Amino acid sequence: MAKQENDWLLDAEVQYKVTPVKGRWEVSLIFINTKDPNQVLIQTIGDYRTERLAEIYGRSMQQTAAKDPRGNQKVDKDAYDINNN
């Protein structure tokens, strides 16, 4: 059997982002490959009239989309080579 291109999404860490767009608050889910953190998928899932509503929806969808709703799927903090200087 050939490995599917998007199999990594099953074990991805899921985050959400709330961004102001044209007077509304847009919610996006961010899927991060835990084995290759450079592989990321961002999916816009909705927009709301208040930031608070967007935050509630984002948090709910993050838990629903995550394979592990407890949030144990995490990217290694050393995975990105970031120089703070």
Side-chain angles (χ1 to χ4, degrees):
M1 244 197 261
K3 183 170 170 69
Q4 295 293 331
E5 189 175 314
N6 292 328
D7 278 355
W8 67 271
L9 288 169
L10 296 173
D11 293 319
E13 177 181 349
V14 181
Q15 296 289 326
Y16 72 93
K17 173 177 75 164
V18 174
T19 311
V21 177
K22 297 181 182 175
R24 295 190 56 89
W25 296 89
E26 188 174 85
V27 181
S28 300
L29 285 182
I30 305 166
F31 298 87
I32 307 166
N33 187 339
T34 54
K35 294 177 179 59
D36 177 9
N38 292 317
Q39 188 172 17
V40 176
L41 174 68
I42 300 173
Q43 185 69 44
T44 301
I45 57 172
D47 63 272
Y48 293 84
R49 59 184 169 81
T50 68
E51 184 177 16
R52 176 84 175 119
L53 286 174
E55 287 282 342
I56 291 168
Y57 183 70
R59 196 172 306 117
S60 172
M61 291 305 295
Q62 174 187 21
Q63 291 174 341
T64 301
K67 177 181 177 183
D68 180 1
R70 295 180 310 268
N72 291 342
Q73 295 288 5
K74 296 289 182 196
V75 172
D76 182 5
K77 292 189 188 321
D78 296 326
Y80 297 105
D81 185 22
I82 298 173
N83 184 348
N84 291 329
N85 292 332

